[in-house]
């Protein structure tokens, strides 16, 4: 069975909605990627905000258009803020997205991610080893790098999506997006993206922003992956390495605001 | 009533003093912008330091030339460090600057910022909605982005400056700097600066550094705004987007050390 | 007495081993430099991970190839994570490296760094004032900038290395690496590196990665310094300032993966 390539025209449709909405994305994310995540959202015309006190996080999630929960540098106080923010987002009808960074190998975050699953994320974005671990199928991963191919993890993504009524994006050389019934494949990107910290984490924040849009959520999640992939490919073409990739990538995302397409 | 444009010659005077002093700026700032803030200060020839343990923060503030208090990602432990650092700075005669990020919409930080006002900041730097909220005049802002024009917030800035005997910089398309008696207007900058996280926060750190200088504090605060604005304008002219803006902006700040002016 | 320049051929030998091993480096480092540190390790082909919960940090250190302990933004909870990670690393036979940021002037971290010394770091990397303070010989430093020359601190580095059976790298305009018996000198670099936050901290993370290699640890530590120095020199040659230095530096590190040498 093969996943259908997500059509470029649909990317443009979602992106137009995204630029119109300019979503305010509340990011509870890991400390390593906060700045890059904010810059990616800003380049795309969205507004990032990182509010981490539990009380304020709850208050802010109700005002935001979407919420990102990234468990990369999990600590007890941050976990409290995440739970408070999710509860508040849920009450306000604000969609939230889970990035289960490095689940599988580490006990605390794996249990915490399992708990989060029951709180109805609008979407989940992870690499193959994270999605396999989240689906309870084990993984060879020893950290944030994925030793498994995203295609191999697609069945786990599908069962995860069905069980929790959510969209799952399992990303890698090809990204697969599924709601358990339908699948989309998104190609593109560049290996250089794996040599820059936070490209996956920033994608999850962008996915959160796209979940704020009206319409077909699965298509919007696929569009988020597609925008990041093609901007990554463009930036890699111009770059001499991961250092020059970073400004080029942000510039490419910014150029998307002008409706520039390949 | 119109605010007088701050003269370029005065910018040069303050900047010369700044380069001679090369102030050590203790930054208690939000997690998203720490790296960019440090790089901005380093590019200008200053020394940044981020010391966050309450005991150490108090010890360090007495050694530093200036202290920045930015409440962007406020948490209880960080708030303790801020209060300890301010108390120590005050005792040592070290000036400190308040950046009231996102006050107004969020209860905890709004109350905390009101408490900080009573501790005599040397200067306050915020956008229009933050300055309006701090002055108790309400705001339409829902986060760090300002929905209000800086000109509209100038009267609030003036009353804030008078009430707390401080300098207030309300920044936006035009920056206004006031001590409640005198006003200066600083034009320049570029809309691209709003697509890069931390330009406002970094400005507050630079304002703190300029508050360490002898002489007319209001002029020094205006000079800090002017240096950042003109370097932003220069960088934007060369940039293809927010990605290439960042290195260009740091390079432009660094070039100011050679006395380069437009 | 003069230190022998570390030979370029030995740099190449260590670097080849490093690229083959592609070490997973667990970084407990300060908040200001996490992103840059991760990008430096990624550019060199290593895998960074920042896991900060005490329980998870202990679990993860046993899986990692090396551990970095950088006390730059020390807090009580982070200190707990550091102690747990070191204990676990020691039990697993994983080498760990100490970066004693700003010891000397600040009481809490100075006492903590002294405690860490007894836990047998594989290597220590600091500037002159930090190494002098750690050796109990006082320092004029008031923060992260070093007011002392690295050559002046070499005797303190030697006695520190002898007393704690470790390798010490005291870095500055020239870097000196010693195990108390043998010394190596590493020249190169560029003053521009002191105008970018985190070049020293990132070097410590690279030193940790090189400590994961089989063979002569002192040579590997010297090689880590040499790789960073020559990439810094290359990047500085192309840069217009500290802003353009950053992407150029990461690109230069990435180019080292192709075996490119001067």
């Amino acid at each position: 069975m093969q996943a259908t390539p997500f059509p470029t025209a649909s990317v443009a449709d979602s992106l137009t909605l995204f630029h119109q909405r300019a979503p305010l994305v509340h990011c509870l994310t890991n400390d390593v990627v906060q700045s890059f995540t904010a810059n990616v959202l800003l380049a795309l015309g969205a507004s990032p905000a990182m509010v981490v006190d539990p009380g304020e996080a709850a208050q802010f999630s109700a005002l935001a258009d979407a919420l990102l929960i990234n468990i990369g540098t999990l600590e007890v106080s941050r976990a409290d803020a995440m739970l408070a923010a999710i509860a508040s987002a849920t009450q306000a009808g604000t969609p939230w997205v889970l990035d289960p960074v490095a689940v599988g190998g580490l006990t605390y975050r794996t249990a915490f991610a399992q708990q989060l699953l029951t709180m109805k994320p609008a979407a989940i974005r992870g690499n193959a080893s994270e999605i396999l671990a989240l689906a309870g199928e084990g993984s060879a991963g020893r950290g944030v790098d994925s030793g498994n191919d995203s295609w191999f993890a697609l069945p786990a993504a599908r069962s995860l999506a069905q069980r929790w009524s959510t969209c799952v994006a399992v990303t890698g050389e090809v990204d697969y997006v599924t709601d358990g019934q339908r699948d989309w494949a998104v190609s593109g990107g560049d290996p250089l993206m794996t040599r820059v910290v936070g490209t996956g984490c920033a994608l999850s924040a962008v996915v959160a922003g796209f979940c704020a849009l009206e319409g077909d959520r699965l298509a919007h999640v696929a569009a988020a992956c597609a925008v990041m992939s093609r901007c990554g490919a463009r930036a890699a073409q111009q770059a001499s390495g991961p250092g020059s990739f970073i400004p080029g990538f942000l510039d490419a995302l910014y150029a998307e605001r002008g409706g520039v397409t390949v």
Side-chain angles (χ1 to χ4, degrees), chain A:
Chain A
M1 181 178 149
Q2 197 163 341
T4 314
F6 188 65
T8 305
S10 302
V11 180
D13 290 346
S14 291
L15 193 55
T16 301
L17 288 175
F18 186 87
H19 287 145
Q20 283 165 356
R21 180 72 182 268
L24 175 62
V25 184
H26 182 194
C27 301
L28 286 171
T29 190
N30 73 72
D31 292 344
V32 189
V33 303
Q34 289 198 2
S35 175
F36 184 65
T37 301
N39 278 329
V40 163
L41 288 171
L42 285 168
L44 278 170
S47 290
M50 282 73 172
V51 177
V52 297
D53 171 73
E56 284 199 340
Q59 214 178 350
F60 195 75
S61 274
L63 305 172
D65 297 312
L67 168 66
L68 167 69
I69 300 292
N70 172 309
I71 62 171
T73 43
L74 197 64
E75 289 182 293
V76 174
S77 59
R78 195 59 57 90
D80 288 345
M82 289 175 178
L83 294 173
I86 293 170
S88 171
T90 302
Q91 201 169 6
T94 306
W96 71 276
V97 167
L98 173 63
D99 186 333
V101 179
V103 291
L106 297 166
T107 315
Y108 173 40
R109 72 181 60 203
T110 304
F112 185 65
Q114 292 295 342
Q115 179 187 354
L116 294 183
L117 278 181
T118 67
M119 300 176 80
K120 299 191 181 304
I124 300 167
R125 203 290 314 168
N127 63 29
S129 77
E130 290 158 355
I131 296 302
L132 286 167
L134 208 55
E137 300 188 17
S139 159
R142 57 175 189 166
V144 292
D145 291 320
S146 176
N148 302 290
D149 185 75
S150 53
W151 172 250
F152 179 65
L154 178 52
R158 281 192 200 117
S159 73
L160 205 54
Q162 278 170 347
R163 180 161 177 206
W164 301 107
S165 305
T166 187
C167 298
V168 178
V170 51
T171 59
E173 204 179 308
V174 178
D175 302 337
Y176 297 98
V177 181
T178 180
D179 61 5
Q181 313 297 330
R182 295 173 298 152
D183 304 330
W184 291 114
V186 176
S187 301
D190 192 278
L192 206 50
M193 297 178 84
T194 66
R195 293 288 120 202
V196 172
V197 78
T199 50
C201 297
L203 169 55
S204 297
V206 173
V207 166
F210 276 78
C211 281
L213 307 180
E214 298 294 318
D216 180 354
R217 181 160 289 162
L218 187 69
H220 293 326
V221 172
C225 295
V227 169
M228 293 288 273
S229 278
R230 76 182 177 199
C231 290
R234 275 179 207 150
Q237 228 173 352
Q238 308 287 330
S240 310
S244 45
F245 173 85
I246 296 171
F249 182 58
L250 293 172
D251 285 355
L253 292 169
Y254 185 73
E256 293 279 355
R257 303 199 320 153
V260 176
T261 54
V262 185

